[in-house]
Amino acid sequence: MGDLIYWIILGFIAGALSGAVVGGRTARGCLPNVVVGVLGAIVGGWIAQQLGFERGPGFIAAVIVAIIGAIVVRVLLEALSPRDG
């Protein structure tokens, strides 16, 4: 249960910060930010692994990787979302 709470908190932080960085039309709010953030943590972890980085110790390293991944996820969502007008 503790890991789930950790991932939700990490997802919220990463999702909210990625929304501030990217902006745009993608959904905002607590739940969408958590979803984008958790997906971003997965994507960021994969990217870091592909680049040869080992997972750094601690919460700050996990937040940085998750934010980078969440930015990638949010940019992809922006690119795939339908345009108005």
Side-chain angles (χ1 to χ4, degrees):
M1 184 69 172
D3 286 345
L4 178 62
I5 293 170
Y6 174 82
W7 282 105
I8 290 171
I9 293 169
L10 179 65
F12 179 74
I13 292 168
L17 290 175
S18 71
V21 170
V22 175
R25 297 173 314 280
T26 54
R28 295 224 169 36
C30 188
L31 186 59
N33 279 342
V34 169
V35 170
V36 168
V38 171
L39 287 174
I42 294 167
V43 170
W46 181 81
I47 291 170
Q49 184 180 20
Q50 298 305 310
L51 294 175
F53 293 105
E54 295 296 322
R55 182 179 181 267
F59 186 72
I60 300 299
V63 169
I64 291 169
V65 167
I67 290 170
I68 292 168
I71 289 170
V72 169
V73 169
R74 199 167 298 266
V75 166
L76 289 174
L77 287 173
E78 283 292 319
L80 297 175
S81 67
R83 306 265 186 245
D84 291 339

